[in-house]
Amino acid sequence: MDTKLLELLVCPVTKGPLNFDRERQELLSRSARLAYPVRNGIPILLENEARTLSDEEIDQLAALRPAL
C-alpha cells in the first residue's frame, strides 16, 4: 500500500490512525479494535466488513505504535 495514502486514511469509526498489515492485507485500527480488509489494493473501510481484533493483536499493535 502506498505510504502517502496510508498517511491520509483514518478509521471511519474513531477517526484515529491506521496501521497496515502487509501479510494479512488489512488496515488495523487500535482505537476501534477493528481490522479493515484491503482487496485488490483497495481499502474497504466499512465497519460491517471489518473483523474485530483480538486482545493479543491489540497488544502487538500497541508495541508498534504508542497510544496517542
Side-chain angles (χ1 to χ4, degrees):
M1 169 153 294
D2 182 34
T3 56
K4 292 191 186 282
L5 176 61
L6 185 56
E7 290 174 7
L8 296 173
L9 293 176
V10 296
C11 174
V13 175
T14 66
K15 309 300 185 249
L18 296 168
N19 289 89
F20 182 55
D21 182 340
R22 186 176 313 274
E23 185 177 308
R24 294 185 77 154
Q25 291 293 297
E26 294 177 324
L27 290 169
L28 308 174
S29 172
R30 180 177 167 198
S31 54
R33 300 180 62 95
L34 294 172
Y36 299 97
V38 177
R39 297 184 187 130
N40 299 319
I42 301 170
I44 311 298
L45 297 176
L46 300 171
E47 188 176 3
N48 64 336
E49 291 283 329
R51 70 176 181 84
T52 303
L53 293 170
S54 69
D55 290 337
E56 181 179 298
E57 289 172 309
I58 293 294
D59 291 343
Q60 289 173 350
L61 192 56
L64 295 175
R65 175 181 231 158
L68 298 176

